[in-house]
Amino acid sequence: MDRKLDELLFALMQNMTITVSGEKLARDLGVPHSTLVRWVEKLRETGVEIRGEPFTGYRLVRLPDVMLPQLIRPRLRTADLGRTLYHFYKVDSTNAFAARLLSRGRKVPDGAVIVSEYQTAGRGRLGRSWHSEPESGLYFSMILRPKIPPSLAPLFTLGTAVAMHNAVERDTRVDVDIKWPNDLLVGRKKVCGILSEIQAEVDMIRTMIIGVGLNVNHAKMPAELKEIATSLRIESGRAQSRIEILLEFFEEFENLQADFEKRGAPAIIEKWTAHSSFANGRKLKISDSGRILEGTTRGLNRFGALRLEQKDGRIEEVYSGDVVQWE
Amino acid sequence: MTLKELRELIELFTARESLEELEVEKAGVRLRIKRASVHAAPAPSVQVPHAAVHQPVSAGPTPAPVSAESDDLFYIKSPMVGTFYRSAAPTSGPYVSVGDIVEKGTVLCIIEAMKLMNEIESEVAGEIVSILHENGKPVEYGDKLFAIRPR
């Protein structure tokens, strides 16, 4: 956790137009001057532009787009989600950090969120990597403890896709689609990926980690990804606020969770179906552990599995795999 | 035939659902493994008839008869429908192999459904006797995944 760097950056942001002496900053933060000098260097390494020297004082060159807890916390509208925030400038992966946090046996509250400006080893399914770019993507993981059996856990990842779909559409006005089970697309290109992990007893989840990677302000995608992935900035033609989207998402997700506790699976299935063009009547191909399934979609079952009508009219309920081709 | 070789043979047999029967003879030891029934439950069962092992090769401790049907084994079952993965990524090694000693809480495998990875932990301490599903294949709710001899 980079709490000290956050405090320094927040202090600098509150004095945007003036140069603050190193002595004063060190005194305000309660650390020796030598420590402050080190922290300034660390912040610079993460890409924050700070002008000045130890004995002339420091000033921010421009307001950096950083997911500071100091900026997020006062604006939270949720009961639990995001109330505990771990903010990093750089971490291997937010899911991996969440898992380490839990394995250390620390008491981590429900709804704790790990957010990082950059991931050095962003993960996808089965060890695939996720392209991370500093200050461009929204990378976070949630720690939850829903009182449900493991078989219902995938509903939460579908719910995450629904909540992010709503947050992005409301905040950016970009049209977003949900590809089964939980990728967000703009047109035919991926803009958001979700990867979840659970640790569970036989009949009850112990902890759940839901990781989200959203491409927000990438000016362009790397050559090898630009045919299959995009960012909200590319699609909307302007930079978007990661903090606004995150706040909107938190609220959407918590409401959906409350509805799920009241009404069960339909609370999520109905909304997913309403927002996904893949839910009904879509011809597609799914690659699942070496086999290819082909058919027309006929909604989701109550666990969130995709009902796929085969050529012979039989319905196959698909629980895993990637939609690799669609019309 | 060492205990390790015996285990490997059983694991090989268990993983190949097309195999109905396997007979091996080596250094005076003849081993026959046969599926309990052709139309048995989806999880293949393994039986090693007592009589099939004629004589231990070495003077060391006699390997206990291995039988996935025996009552003293503990079965780890799948808590959900999904895909069975023995490792975290295709490039990394399996979490556990036959013969490994595991503790309560050791991660044994992952069941994946809808991009949700469920780490399955051992509910008992003991030795992995057999692995009853093939990596990357679908499993049903309640399918037996691992047979463990509790310690």
Side-chain angles (χ1 to χ4, degrees):
Chain A
M1 207 181 352
D2 299 326
R3 193 182 291 151
K4 293 294 167 190
L5 294 185
D6 288 347
E7 284 175 17
L8 170 59
L9 180 55
F10 193 57
L12 287 167
M13 284 169 88
Q14 285 170 320
N15 297 288
M16 263 309 280
T17 52
I18 51 171
T19 300
V20 192
S21 85
E23 296 290 349
K24 181 181 181 324
L25 280 170
R27 202 168 51 242
D28 287 354
L29 297 171
V31 295
H33 191 244
S34 57
T35 306
L36 179 89
V37 174
R38 214 171 55 239
W39 288 354
V40 169
E41 282 318 309
K42 273 196 177 171
L43 265 184
R44 282 175 169 156
E45 281 165 26
T46 72
V48 176
E49 294 171 64
I50 300 169
R51 188 166 294 162
E53 299 297 330
F55 298 99
T56 59
Y58 298 104
R59 182 168 70 84
L60 284 177
V61 175
R62 64 183 180 95
L63 194 63
D65 179 10
V66 176
M67 309 286 294
L68 276 187
Q70 285 89 337
L71 302 177
I72 297 172
R73 250 182 225 120
R75 301 187 50 207
L76 283 172
R77 301 179 291 256
T78 50
D80 299 315
L81 191 55
R83 291 281 160 190
T84 301
L85 272 178
Y86 299 84
H87 175 244
F88 290 91
Y89 290 83
K90 188 164 93 177
V91 73
D92 50 353
S93 108
T94 57
N95 268 21
F97 177 80
R100 288 200 295 276
L101 201 61
L102 292 170
S103 72
R104 276 183 223 138
R106 286 245 218 104
K107 187 84 192 92
V108 184
D110 266 16
V113 171
I114 296 97
V115 58
S116 185
E117 304 298 329
Y118 180 58
Q119 299 186 110
T120 54
R123 284 191 292 168
R125 203 165 69 103
L126 302 178
R128 292 173 198 161
S129 64
W130 179 265
H131 172 74
S132 299
E133 239 176 75
E135 281 198 25
S136 295
L138 174 54
Y139 311 114
F140 68 97
S141 296
M142 307 184 276
I143 294 174
L144 305 168
R145 293 184 186 82
K147 290 180 181 55
I148 54 168
S151 57
L152 294 182
L155 290 171
F156 272 65
T157 82
L158 299 181
T160 303
V162 169
M164 189 50 92
H165 165 279
N166 292 353
V168 169
E169 284 206 338
R170 183 164 310 156
D171 202 67
T172 69
R173 305 281 160 200
V174 173
D175 273 335
V176 183
D177 196 1
I178 310 175
K179 183 176 79 135
W180 186 85
N182 54 21
D183 282 348
L184 295 191
L185 306 181
V186 178
R188 296 179 68 88
K189 292 180 180 176
K190 183 160 166 171
V191 75
C192 178
I194 296 162
L195 181 74
S196 315
E197 296 162 30
I198 57 171
Q199 292 78 38
E201 312 292 340
V202 182
D203 51 356
M204 193 57 78
I205 288 179
R206 211 163 51 231
T207 48
M208 179 182 243
I209 300 167
I210 302 181
V212 180
L214 176 72
N215 300 335
V216 183
N217 287 328
H218 305 61
K220 57 177 188 159
M221 299 307 290
E224 71 275 16
L225 291 177
K226 74 175 201 294
E227 298 303 324
I228 54 166
T230 187
S231 78
L232 295 173
R233 177 173 171 183
I234 293 169
E235 297 300 324
S236 67
R238 62 186 175 93
Q240 302 287 348
S241 161
R242 295 178 302 156
I243 288 183
E244 296 296 336
I245 295 170
L246 186 66
L247 288 167
E248 201 77 61
F249 169 84
F250 282 167
E251 202 175 8
E252 286 282 343
F253 187 87
E254 211 171 76
N255 289 343
L256 199 56
Q257 211 178 352
D259 199 23
F260 174 76
E261 275 160 28
K262 227 180 292 161
R263 297 201 293 132
I268 288 163
I269 303 288
E270 283 166 17
K271 291 205 175 70
W272 193 96
T273 306
H275 294 310
S276 169
S277 77
F278 287 77
N280 277 297
R282 195 81 186 250
K283 282 196 181 139
L284 47 74
K285 279 187 190 171
I286 292 176
S287 158
D288 178 22
S289 39
R291 62 179 183 153
I292 297 281
L293 292 162
E294 199 172 345
T296 308
T297 59
R298 295 283 179 249
L300 305 182
N301 76 5
R302 66 196 173 93
F303 296 105
L306 187 62
R307 301 177 71 249
L308 198 62
E309 186 180 327
Q310 322 267 59
K311 271 203 191 87
D312 58 8
R314 211 168 45 84
I315 301 262
E316 168 112 18
E317 297 189 332
V318 189
Y319 280 85
S320 55
D322 285 318
V323 175
V324 286
Q325 262 183 51
W326 63 96
E327 283 184 2
Chain B
M1 189 178 303
T2 63
L3 188 58
K4 185 168 176 288
E5 285 171 324
L6 186 64
R7 281 191 194 112
E8 280 171 2
L9 277 172
I10 291 168
E11 196 177 350
L12 175 85
F13 182 77
T14 312
R16 302 277 162 81
E17 279 181 48
S18 55
L19 283 179
E20 290 300 336
E21 196 172 336
L22 178 74
E23 194 167 333
V24 180
E25 194 166 345
K26 189 189 171 192
V29 177
R30 193 162 60 85
L31 170 77
R32 200 172 89 230
I33 314 175
K34 190 173 183 295
R35 277 187 212 280
S37 158
V38 179
H39 303 291
S45 59
V46 178
Q47 277 194 334
V48 181
H50 255 255
V53 181
H54 286 303
Q55 37 174 258
V57 180
S58 70
T62 309
V66 180
S67 164
E69 294 297 309
S70 91
D71 288 334
D72 61 354
L73 294 184
F74 186 93
Y75 292 95
I76 304 290
K77 295 178 182 170
S78 179
M80 59 199 271
V81 186
T83 304
F84 174 70
Y85 289 108
R86 288 186 56 195
S87 60
T91 49
S92 54
Y95 287 109
V96 290
S97 300
V98 168
D100 284 1
I101 304 296
V102 297
E103 298 299 324
K104 190 171 183 292
T106 302
V107 175
L108 303 176
C109 66
I110 283 177
I111 304 293
E112 189 248 309
M114 292 166 251
K115 302 198 184 179
L116 176 116
M117 323 302 270
N118 186 359
E119 286 183 354
I120 307 295
E121 298 172 0
S122 183
E123 296 154 62
V124 293
E127 182 191 348
I128 307 279
V129 175
S130 56
I131 298 172
L132 303 162
H133 274 274
E134 212 178 322
N135 184 51
K137 294 292 179 212
V139 292
E140 295 295 321
Y141 176 84
D143 273 5
K144 291 173 179 172
L145 306 173
F146 296 88
I148 296 179
R149 175 168 298 111
R151 201 173 47 205

